[in-house]
Amino acid sequence: MSDQNQNPTPQRPRLFVDADACPVKAECERVAERHRIEMFLVSNGGIRPSRNPLIHSIFVPPEPDAADDWIAENASTNDVIITADIPLASRGLELGAHVLGPTGKAFTEANIANALAGREIAAHMREVTGEQGRNAGFTQKDRSRFSSALEVMVQAALRA
């Protein structure tokens, strides 16, 4: 009896981008094109569809967490998720996906609990003080760090 049906070919990794307010969509598209992997830009609108057949624009309702839910329902083990949303990063790790923030910082099993705790503390401080936190500006250094980290992460996913 042949083993051909018992060891299916593993699926190529796909790239999922939490695209609302994502500053690195162009970098993601370049990496997806270079490695010829499917990419899903998930947002509630306002993103121009790509002509590249590997790049899919997914538009979800403008409800809280709709993009996060779509990504969590469609991503799987060894896919790559790009998000600044810490709860989505946690959900992605639970799926066995690789998760990267737009500044190039990888979310891992080793750091996700601290990231979730920090998010809760920041939310509590905003509630107590009424002040809104400010994000540092996105720099060319952040963009470069992200591009390098994404390239490494996609290559690792392709080897897995």
Side-chain angles (χ1 to χ4, degrees):
M1 179 177 232
S2 170
D3 282 4
Q4 286 179 331
N5 292 334
Q6 294 180 11
N7 294 322
T9 304
Q11 177 179 318
R12 285 180 58 79
R14 299 166 299 164
L15 181 57
F16 291 83
V17 180
D18 186 4
D20 288 324
C22 177
V24 290
K25 291 183 282 285
E27 289 80 1
C28 292
E29 190 164 341
R30 281 194 289 278
V31 171
E33 287 176 356
R34 180 171 36 257
H35 293 286
R36 305 185 78 52
I37 60 174
E38 277 189 296
M39 179 173 128
F40 298 88
L41 286 167
V42 186
S43 74
N44 61 17
I47 293 177
R48 184 178 305 217
S50 174
R51 292 178 184 238
N52 185 327
L54 291 172
I55 312 300
H56 309 284
S57 296
I58 307 297
F59 299 106
V60 297
E63 299 167 2
D65 301 324
D68 300 354
D69 291 342
W70 192 94
I71 291 170
E73 290 165 8
N74 289 278
S76 60
T77 300
N78 206 40
D79 285 335
V80 176
I81 298 173
I82 307 305
T83 187
D85 186 271
I86 297 168
L88 174 57
S90 179
R91 291 169 74 183
L93 291 171
E94 289 173 8
L95 294 169
H98 307 271
V99 185
L100 186 64
T103 60
K105 181 179 179 185
F107 290 100
T108 66
E109 293 295 334
N111 69 17
I112 195 65
N114 283 342
L116 286 165
R119 178 182 182 272
E120 290 301 316
I121 291 168
H124 178 72
M125 292 304 293
R126 284 190 303 274
E127 188 177 296
V128 168
T129 65
E131 293 181 19
Q132 293 297 314
R134 297 184 188 259
N135 292 331
F138 194 77
T139 67
Q140 186 58 40
K141 187 175 182 180
D142 293 326
R143 194 173 300 283
S144 178
R145 185 180 319 112
F146 172 81
S147 293
S148 296
L150 179 59
E151 181 66 29
V152 168
M153 191 172 275
V154 166
Q155 286 182 18
L158 286 165
R159 284 192 303 271

